[in-house]
Every structure is written in structure tokens, then in C-alpha cells.
Amino acid sequence: GLLLQEMTMAGLHDLRFTEEKPLLRGQDTELENSDVFLSAADMDWKEHDIETPYGLLHVVIRGSPKGNRPAILTYHDVGLNHKLCFNTFFNYEDMQEITKHFVVCHVDAPGQQTGASQFPQGYQYPSMDQLAAMLPSVVQHFGFKYVIGIGVGAGAYVLAKFALIFPDLVEGLVLMNIDPNGKGWIDWAAAKLSGFTSTLPDTVLSHLFSQEELVNNTELVQSYRQQIGSVVNQFNLQLFLNMYNSRRDLDINRPGTVPNAKTLRCPVMLVVGDNAPAEEGVVECNSKLDPTNTTFLKMADSGGLPQVTQPGKLTEAFKYFLQGMGYSECQGWAWGGRMPALPSASMTRLARSRTASLTSASSVDGTRPRACTHSESTEAMGQINHTMEVSC
């Protein structure tokens, strides 16, 4: 981690940046679709190709930094790009109301953006550590003080790595479908065998959706099957998938469980659908994080893509997450810099039921500034060392 940080920070001084390019309707045939991220009312999105120590990175951004307010930075899952992964969520009306107060920065993994050129034969795709080490180039280029990351699957793993290597650049993380474990040799062999018997889109679909979803939610699955096969360059996608499948265990442990345990220092919200193939991995990740700054949100009636199937619930959870870090008041949105939030039951207002986590259950409060991440609530004032798990 230190070597990566030294290499990356040294490389920042010699970076070259291409000119920003406005995303205008009509320049990309996909932009004509009504469900793409950009709408006719949003003409201020711009795309950038940023040179990093490990290659070019495609980024789409809206807004400019204001004071010490963080940027929202997203990273998508394998088989997707920022449009396929986050369109529905960021187009949701209430989410747009939130994000108009922030810079929003979408990162596409190398070669995964719409219209990306195919990498040459023999190209060495960046490792998961290197993908994480590319992100400081984005932060420096745009002048962000720090970011609030939203990642899904492979993107969640990359952002978690980023936060471990560069903790001072990350203010908070929303990690959906994260699996902190690398593949064992049995899993690796099974994946290889599956690769011989399944098409690449089918392999990706089995990663994104549960078996129940593949059978019962055919309309959504077929839509993603078509888009995965046509929007993302298949050669580039295979390289990204191979690298994700060869990842190592995320080097995190719950404080106090092992000597010199590493963990994520920022507030974290873990999200998984109650019918998602990643559920076991997210539960495992929850067991390895600091319970004083972790929220575990299990979403009912949601599968592998909660940001697509339940954008309203996820938006409300994200609002409370921001509130907990001191970026809003309980009554409405009053911006103009950071301010303390009033205590509230917060996430519990989402809950239809609450179940005990691997530790025990409590609520999360609205007074969680950057340097203080104790979990409290009107129901359990003063209690700490508890992870909150909510089913909603």
C-alpha cells in the first residue's frame, strides 16, 4: 500500500490531462435513449480522459468543487459502465435533489466506457490495487479535497482499496455487493470451467443477478444481457473480469481482533439486496469492519442491483448517510458548508423490520462528523461498538 501510494503520488507531478469534452446529445447514439444518465436538462456534464500512472481513465463529471465539500465519486461493477450501473439511481428525482449540492464524478474502469477502443492483444490490464491507485489522479486533476465513494461489486472493492491506501482522500463509502474475499482455487477452477461453457454476457449476468432473478425477472435480465453484449467492448470486459476474479482478499480486520488490524477509517454503508448473489460476501465484509462507523443495509424485495430495482429506498438511505456525516439538517436540505445534524432515528425510518447483525443492532445518528464516528441514536444513546443492520 505504501509503495503504491509513493508511486502514485510521485507520478501525479508528471501527469498529462486531455481537454475536457462536453457531452452533447447527438454525439453518441446511446445518448438518444431516454434512460441514459444525461437528460436534455443536464447539458453541463463533461467527459475527461485522464492520464494516470497506470493508463488512461475515462471520467464524466458535473459541477466544480466548492470549499471543503466532497465530491461524490462512483465506480461500477464488471460488465457495466457508469451509465448501465448508475443511470436509474442518479436519475431518480430525489437523488437529483441531493446531488445538485455536490460535484458528481463517474469513473469508468479502463476500456469499459461506451465506444471504448479495444485494447491490443497482450495488453496487461491494471490490477485491482492499480485501479485503486489511479483514482488520486482524478482527485488531483479536479481539485477535490476528498470524496464520498459509491461503488458496486468490483467498483466497491476498488473504492475500498482506495480508502485503505489513501484514507485522507475518502470521507465516506457506500459499498454495494462488496465481496472482500479473493477466489480460492476451487472457485477459480469453477470460474474457468464456467467460462468454457457460458458466453461472457451469461457469466456476467450470473455475477450480477441471483438464480431466482435470472428465472423470474426476465425483462430486466434480458435488458442487461443485450446491453452488456452491445455497449461494453467484450475483449476489454473479459480483461476486467479476469482481473477482478484474480483479486486477493481485502486486507481488513475488525479492530481488536488481530494485532495492528487494518480497517476503513471513514463511515461506511454496506448495501445488499435480500435476494442478491453477493449477500454472503457483504455479510463477511460487515464482520471485518469497525462496528462504530458501519451501517449494514439489507434491502427487501431487491436482488443484485438495488440501485436499479429500489432507487427510492437507496436514495433515502443515502440521504441519511450524508446527514450522519453532518452534511444536512434533519428538516430539509440547508447547504452552505458543513453543519451539525440534529439527532434522529435516521435509518430506522426506512425499516419494516430490524434484525441483529453479527454484533448487535442499534440505530445510527445524525451527528457523525469526519473525526467522530460513534454510532448513537434516540433509541440507544451512548451505545457504541454496534453495527446497525436494517431490512427495508
Side-chain angles (χ1 to χ4, degrees):
L2 289 176
L3 178 61
L4 276 173
Q5 186 171 13
E6 290 173 2
M7 293 173 60
T8 303
M9 299 310 289
L12 288 178
H13 299 293
D14 301 318
L15 296 182
R16 300 186 308 276
F17 303 106
T18 61
E19 293 183 8
E20 60 184 35
K21 297 171 288 184
L23 280 172
L24 301 178
R25 295 182 67 84
Q27 290 183 337
D28 185 338
T29 54
E30 186 184 343
L31 295 184
E32 299 302 324
N33 297 332
S34 60
D35 62 342
V36 297
F37 183 79
L38 302 179
S39 67
D42 288 324
M43 300 301 291
D44 55 344
W45 289 89
K46 296 177 181 179
E47 65 175 336
H48 302 247
D49 292 311
I50 299 177
E51 191 72 32
T52 81
Y54 302 102
L56 209 62
L57 203 57
H58 182 262
V59 174
V60 178
I61 186 170
R62 182 185 66 186
S64 57
K66 297 179 181 179
N68 290 327
R69 191 176 302 167
I72 294 174
L73 184 145
T74 74
Y75 212 112
H76 59 86
D77 204 351
V78 292
L80 310 175
N81 53 37
H82 81 270
K83 296 178 181 178
L84 298 180
C85 192
F86 293 110
N87 279 359
T88 302
F89 181 41
F90 279 82
N91 271 337
Y92 190 74
E93 183 178 359
D94 289 348
M95 187 63 179
Q96 290 184 340
E97 181 64 27
I98 294 172
T99 58
K100 72 181 183 181
H101 302 288
F102 292 88
V103 180
V104 178
C105 179
H106 295 293
V107 176
D108 286 317
Q112 310 304 302
Q113 71 270 23
T114 302
S117 299
Q118 182 167 306
F119 290 124
Q121 291 290 337
Y123 172 79
Q124 181 59 48
Y125 202 83
S127 68
M128 301 304 287
D129 284 13
Q130 290 171 339
L131 290 175
M134 296 170 83
L135 295 178
S137 302
V138 178
V139 173
Q140 193 228 27
H141 177 59
F142 296 114
F144 301 152
K145 300 295 183 182
Y146 29 76
V147 302
I148 296 172
I150 302 178
V152 180
Y157 183 98
V158 170
L159 288 180
K161 272 282 187 183
F162 174 49
L164 287 170
I165 302 171
F166 305 96
D168 291 338
L169 297 181
V170 183
E171 174 127 25
L173 289 173
V174 177
L175 304 176
M176 290 179 264
N177 300 336
I178 186 171
D179 188 345
N181 301 317
K183 283 185 177 292
W185 71 269
I186 294 179
D187 293 328
W188 179 85
K192 281 291 185 182
L193 180 61
S194 176
F196 290 126
T197 59
S198 303
T199 65
L200 181 57
D202 284 335
T203 300
V204 171
L205 288 172
S206 66
H207 164 74
L208 298 176
F209 300 101
S210 66
Q211 286 301 311
E212 182 178 338
E213 287 181 291
L214 292 174
V215 173
N216 297 328
N217 200 351
T218 55
E219 184 176 349
L220 179 65
V221 170
Q222 288 303 320
S223 173
Y224 271 87
R225 183 194 304 275
Q226 188 276 328
Q227 294 182 86
I228 290 167
S230 61
V231 173
V232 183
N233 182 283
Q234 300 297 282
F235 181 81
N236 297 353
L237 168 55
Q238 186 69 68
L239 294 179
F240 185 24
L241 179 62
N242 291 345
M243 190 54 69
Y244 177 63
N245 284 338
S246 64
R247 70 191 182 279
R248 295 174 296 178
D249 288 353
L250 202 59
D251 187 17
I252 54 174
N253 288 282
R254 178 161 289 187
T257 59
V258 299
N260 302 315
K262 295 181 182 179
T263 192
L264 297 173
R265 288 165 31 187
C266 62
V268 178
M269 181 168 71
L270 299 175
V271 181
V272 69
D274 64 352
N275 183 31
E279 182 179 2
E280 183 177 339
V282 179
V283 170
E284 175 74 10
C285 188
N286 182 52
S287 72
K288 294 183 175 183
L289 292 180
D290 185 346
T292 66
N293 66 357
T294 303
T295 299
F296 183 16
L297 178 64
K298 184 183 293 185
M299 301 187 68
D301 304 319
S302 180
L305 297 177
Q307 77 277 18
V308 174
T309 58
Q310 298 285 357
K313 290 180 180 178
L314 186 57
T315 296
E316 189 172 2
F318 184 56
K319 181 177 74 172
Y320 290 131
F321 182 67
L322 293 175
Q323 175 182 293
M325 290 192 293
Y327 281 104
S328 73
E329 295 177 329
C330 287
Q331 302 298 325
W333 294 93
W335 302 91
R338 300 195 54 158
M339 61 190 68
L342 300 174
S344 78
S346 172
M347 295 282 292
T348 58
R349 292 159 64 180
L350 284 169
R352 294 190 314 194
S353 64
R354 295 169 61 196
T355 55
S357 69
L358 295 180
T359 53
S360 57
S362 76
S363 181
V364 66
D365 77 338
T367 55
R368 190 165 51 183
R370 182 173 175 79
C372 179
T373 57
H374 291 310
S375 179
E376 331 176 304
S377 76
T378 53
E379 299 176 2
M381 291 299 292
Q383 294 184 20
I384 60 173
N385 299 323
H386 292 75
T387 298
M388 185 205 69
E389 178 177 341
V390 172
S391 294
C392 66

